[in-house]
Amino acid sequence: MSEIIATLDEINRYLTTEADGSYSAVYDTYHLKTAFQPIHQVNGDLFGFEALVRVFNECGDELNTEPFFAPEYYDEIDQVNMDRLARVIHVKNFAQFFASYTLFINMVPDALLIHSKNVPAALLHQRLKALGLKSEQVFFELLEHDCTSNIELLDILQQMRAQGMKVALDDYGVKASSECRARFLRPDIIKVDRSLLADFLSGQESPLRKVVGLGRELGAKLLIEGVENAAGLKVARMLNADYIQGFYLGRPQLLSEILLSRVS
């Protein structure tokens, strides 16, 4: 592929409707599908879902996702195109099946810079509205990758916020998801990487307690990732986290599997 997919007509050429009514996308020889992982409030109530892409080859084998969305592994144009198609199917699937909750969508910082040139925040707001969604339902999770222009990134996020969309800082404590980025971007939610919870449970409490204090200082909600047992849940509640995510509460599932379980 040599051109960035920009218009809705171009996007629709890559979309396909599955037998269960869900959307997927075919790009080159790859089949992109949506998986959802639940996110709960700390009291246990369901808050929303993080959308995750799953990539399959022509034989139907699931592939390792990371290379497709990391700039060091994949051509920039293909990376942006697959990122965009993944986001489109996620939003469409969420609007169709989970529209009463909130949606968390992963964004590679540099891909967001490119995306905003073709789909500005006001247009994105219109597209969400056309699907029956409110902008306030959507959290864009900024991944831990470096960004080529932090000033431009901040400007784009401010435009998105002006349209009602929210910003989450993903995997805080890993790579570029740092205190510096949090202070610069002032996210609505800080998603704490699972490693900080694991460290806390092993006796190294300072890093997690520090980010709790940072969140309060910045006025950001706190989501603790990697809650995989009762001990992790107890820590999240003790620290007064706002949201929790992890295998103890629900694993990522392909949308097709979720819909099948509803029928059965």
Side-chain angles (χ1 to χ4, degrees):
M1 301 295 175
S2 58
E3 296 182 355
I4 291 177
I5 301 170
T7 68
L8 283 177
D9 285 342
E10 291 172 346
I11 289 171
N12 287 333
R13 293 174 196 155
Y14 296 88
L15 301 187
T16 183
T17 304
E18 304 292 336
D20 56 18
S22 64
Y23 291 92
S24 62
V26 176
Y27 185 84
D28 196 6
T29 61
Y30 305 112
H31 197 171
L32 312 182
K33 299 183 181 182
T34 297
F36 287 114
Q37 183 176 20
I39 293 173
H40 290 79
Q41 297 181 49
V42 76
N43 65 5
D45 291 343
L46 183 61
F47 178 64
F49 296 89
E50 178 179 355
L52 302 162
V53 67
R54 295 294 183 255
V55 182
F56 297 82
N57 62 18
E58 292 175 293
C59 298
D61 301 317
E62 185 173 351
L63 306 176
N64 181 16
T65 303
E66 178 62 24
F68 292 92
F69 301 95
E72 62 266 30
Y73 289 110
Y74 223 79
D75 175 83
E76 183 182 69
I77 291 177
D78 287 327
Q79 178 194 342
V80 169
N81 284 341
M82 285 189 285
D83 180 73
R84 180 162 297 165
L85 290 171
R87 187 166 51 255
V88 168
I89 63 172
H90 294 339
V91 172
K92 282 181 169 288
N93 286 327
F94 175 80
Q96 185 172 2
F97 298 105
F98 301 109
S100 60
Y101 295 98
T102 55
L103 173 64
F104 288 71
I105 303 179
N106 293 320
M107 292 291 296
V108 176
D110 279 349
L112 178 57
L113 301 187
I114 297 171
H115 173 264
S116 65
K117 294 175 181 177
N118 295 301
V119 186
L123 179 56
L124 180 56
H125 168 76
Q126 292 174 14
R127 290 183 177 177
L128 292 172
K129 186 177 180 180
L131 290 170
L133 298 175
K134 298 178 181 178
S135 293
E136 292 80 4
Q137 290 180 260
V138 181
F139 285 81
F140 285 91
E141 287 191 32
L142 198 66
L143 297 182
E144 67 275 11
H145 305 295
D146 288 319
C147 184
T148 54
S149 176
N150 288 317
I151 297 297
E152 186 178 353
L153 177 63
L154 177 61
D155 179 63
I156 291 167
L157 294 178
Q158 288 175 335
Q159 293 176 39
M160 294 170 68
R161 280 177 161 148
Q163 296 293 330
M165 289 164 270
K166 308 291 187 180
V167 177
L169 188 62
D170 193 30
D171 289 340
Y172 180 93
V174 175
K175 296 181 181 179
S177 287
S178 62
E179 180 178 349
C180 180
R181 175 172 277 183
R183 290 188 180 279
F184 185 68
L185 299 179
R186 303 186 75 86
D188 300 286
I189 289 181
I190 296 175
K191 296 188 69 177
V192 182
D193 186 72
R194 64 182 63 246
S195 61
L196 272 69
L197 177 58
D199 288 345
F200 189 100
L201 290 170
S202 67
Q204 302 174 56
E205 298 185 2
S206 179
L208 183 51
R209 289 189 182 277
K210 185 177 179 181
V211 70
V212 170
L214 176 65
R216 290 172 180 162
E217 178 187 342
L218 299 179
K221 300 288 188 180
L222 197 70
L223 188 157
I224 296 183
E225 299 180 292
V227 177
E228 299 185 356
N229 50 45
L233 178 59
K234 183 178 179 179
V235 169
R237 289 175 171 168
M238 179 187 69
L239 294 175
N240 294 316
D242 299 283
Y243 309 109
I244 44 180
Q245 182 177 3
F247 290 174
Y248 188 64
L249 304 153
R251 293 174 177 267
Q253 279 187 292
L254 280 171
L255 176 57
S256 59
E257 296 173 352
I258 297 174
L259 297 178
L260 184 61
S261 67
R262 284 180 171 183
V263 174
S264 59

